[in-house]
């Protein structure tokens, strides 16, 4: 692939990341407003299912799309996934009830299972591990800016324009990303048989791969639960506004973006145990601090540094839980392995968001998250001390 076409493909990936980031943070910030508008309470019940339905179907979509991408190519699978995601977004914007919103979020999640994972598979196809040290900064920076804009944009749209536009905002960048990728990226000729084994036993026996799967499950549970329950905590327990919910999410996501930016550098120089184990340890300190501050009824502004610290730890932990295993796989297995990792993230999030969707207070939720994060740190510290070098045929020419 020539440099010019590779740059265009990278641009399409960046737009896909923007769409993915907007879906998470714009919708999350506006959810208390959406729930009230559709006649639902801001916590538990239907509120939790709006997130859980998305995460369950996105998990299914990730697993299916990973196999299809290895069998039929990245480009057509990305196109179908983006189409489903945009259709689900449009339907969510037109939802007449909270029950309908849950159904339409399930459609949206099924498409999302292809968007972010396949976009990241493509970066693994066109960049080597060493090149990704540089490109990761660009990817993370773009993703981080979209995440930072998302909470403020979500709160502003819900307050001044109407919550339905929270979903419609995905459509223009999604269509543009699809057009750019379709015209710039071509799949290599190699394929796997659709009904062949998912990944080789040798790959699953790799210590880096196994560690990445476990820590992705825990990391997905942590970040998705935090994003789901920070806004209702701010607006109900702290009597804040949607804009203040956005500020709290920005603190978390700013730390996430900065941590992710140097995560791959730590991985290459120090190993997976440092980037993943150390990241989760840092996040444990942040989450414990949040729980203590909630217990002391501290002002919201005091919690912002703790949320920032949490993000600084989760960023490198989750990003390198994906990059390190991905680099160990051949092209013919990378799509499926990347999808399995994303599925673990979604599965972890779906289970914990649902489990904590009852009447637990904000303090109890963050205490639970801190305990889980400490366990993930212990697993990460036991990661193999070897490097995360790429297997043969890891990057496309």
């Amino acid at each position: 692939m020539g440099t010019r076409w590779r740059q265009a493909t990278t641009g399409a990936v960046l737009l896909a990341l923007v769409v993915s980031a907007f879906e998470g943070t714009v919708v999350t910030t506006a959810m208390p407003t959406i729930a009230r508008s559709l006649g639902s309470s801001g916590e538990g019940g239907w509120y939790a299912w709006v997130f859980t339905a998305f995460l369950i179907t996105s998990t299914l979509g990730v697993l299916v799309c990973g196999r299809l991408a290895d069998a039929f190519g990245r480009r057509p699978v990305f196109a179908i996934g983006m189409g489903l995601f945009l259709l689900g977004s449009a339907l969510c914007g037109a939802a007449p009830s909270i029950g309908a919103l849950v159904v339409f979020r399930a459609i949206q999640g099924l498409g999302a299972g292809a968007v972010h994972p396949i976009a990241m598979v493509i970066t693994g196809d066109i960049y080597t591990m060493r090149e990704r040290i540089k490109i990761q900064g660009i990817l993370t920076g773009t993703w981080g800016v979209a995440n930072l804009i998302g909470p403020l944009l979500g709160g502003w749209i819900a307050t001044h324009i109407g919550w339905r536009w929270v979903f419609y905002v995905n459509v223009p960048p999604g269509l543009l990303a699809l057009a750019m990728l379709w015209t710039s990226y071509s799949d290599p000729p190699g394929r796997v048989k659709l009904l062949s084994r998912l990944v080789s036993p040798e790959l699953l026996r790799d210590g880096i791969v196994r560690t990445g799967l476990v820590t992705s499950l825990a990391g997905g549970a942590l970040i998705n639960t935090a994003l789901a329950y920070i806004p209702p905590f701010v607006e109900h327990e702290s009597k804040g506004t949607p804009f203040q919910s956005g500020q709290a999410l920005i603190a978390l996501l700013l730390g996430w973006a900065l941590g992710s930016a140097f995560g791959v550098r730590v991985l290459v120089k120090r190993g997976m145990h440092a980037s993943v184990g150390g990241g989760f340890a840092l996040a444990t300190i942040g989450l414990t601090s949040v729980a203590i501050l909630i217990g002391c009824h501290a002002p919201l502004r005091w919690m912002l540094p703790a949320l920032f610290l949490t993000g600084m730890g989760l960023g490198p932990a989750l990003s390198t839980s994906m990059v390190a295993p991905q680099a160990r796989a051949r092209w013919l297995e990378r799509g499926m392995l990347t999808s399995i990792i994303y599925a673990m993230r979604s599965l972890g999030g779906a289970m914990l968001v649902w489990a904590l969707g009852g009447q637990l207070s904000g303090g109890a939720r963050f205490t639970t998250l801190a305990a889980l994060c400490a366990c993930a740190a212990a697993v990460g510290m036991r990661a193999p001390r070897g490097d995360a070098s790429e297997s043969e045929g890891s990057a496309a020419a």
Side-chain angles (χ1 to χ4, degrees), residues 1 27 29 50 85 171 202 280 307 328 345 371 383:
M1 177 181 287
V27 174
T29 307
V50 170
F85 176 81
V171 177
E202 293 79 12
F280 278 125
L307 289 171
R328 306 290 288 182
R345 289 188 186 184

Side-chain angles (χ1 to χ4, degrees), residues 55-111:
L55 291 169
I56 289 174
T57 56
S58 66
T59 302
L60 175 62
V62 160
L63 291 172
V64 172
C65 290
R67 168 52 53 177
L68 293 177
D70 287 339
F72 301 110
R74 323 303 197 205
R75 189 172 70 164
V77 176
F78 179 89
I80 293 171
M82 182 64 81
L84 275 176
F85 176 81
L86 297 180
L87 173 63
S89 297
L91 290 173
C92 285
S97 66
I98 192 72
L101 180 62
V102 170
V103 174
F104 298 151
R105 282 280 284 174
I107 296 173
Q108 191 186 33
L110 192 62

Side-chain angles (χ1 to χ4, degrees), residues 7 13 25 45 79 91 96 104 107 110 121 172 199 213 216 243 245 283 292 313 346 355 357 365 370 374:
Q7 290 174 346
V13 168
T25 58
L91 290 173
F104 298 151
I107 296 173
L110 192 62
V121 171
V199 291
L213 292 174
S216 291
F243 185 79
S245 296
I292 292 173
S346 296
R365 286 193 178 116

Side-chain angles (χ1 to χ4, degrees), residues 164-184:
R164 297 184 186 278
W165 284 95
V166 164
F167 296 100
Y168 296 149
V169 74
N170 292 320
V171 177
L175 291 174
L176 183 57
L178 177 55
M180 290 179 63
L181 187 101
W182 191 263
T183 56
S184 65

Side-chain angles (χ1 to χ4, degrees), residues 199-274:
V199 291
S200 65
E202 293 79 12
L203 187 61
L204 292 179
R205 286 195 292 267
D206 189 297
I208 287 176
V209 172
R210 287 185 296 176
T211 300
L213 292 174
V214 174
T215 53
S216 291
L217 179 71
L222 291 165
I223 190 62
N224 283 297
T225 304
L227 290 174
Y229 288 117
I230 285 175
F233 164 75
V234 171
E235 296 188 34
H236 296 158
E237 297 186 43
S238 296
K239 308 301 180 183
T241 65
F243 185 79
Q244 288 174 317
S245 296
Q247 289 179 314
L249 289 178
I250 283 176
L252 177 70
L253 294 169
L254 177 60
W256 171 289
L258 293 176
S260 297
F262 66 78
V264 176
R265 293 181 181 273
V266 176
L267 171 67
V268 172
K269 294 182 179 180
R270 301 289 184 180
M272 191 177 187
H273 67 283

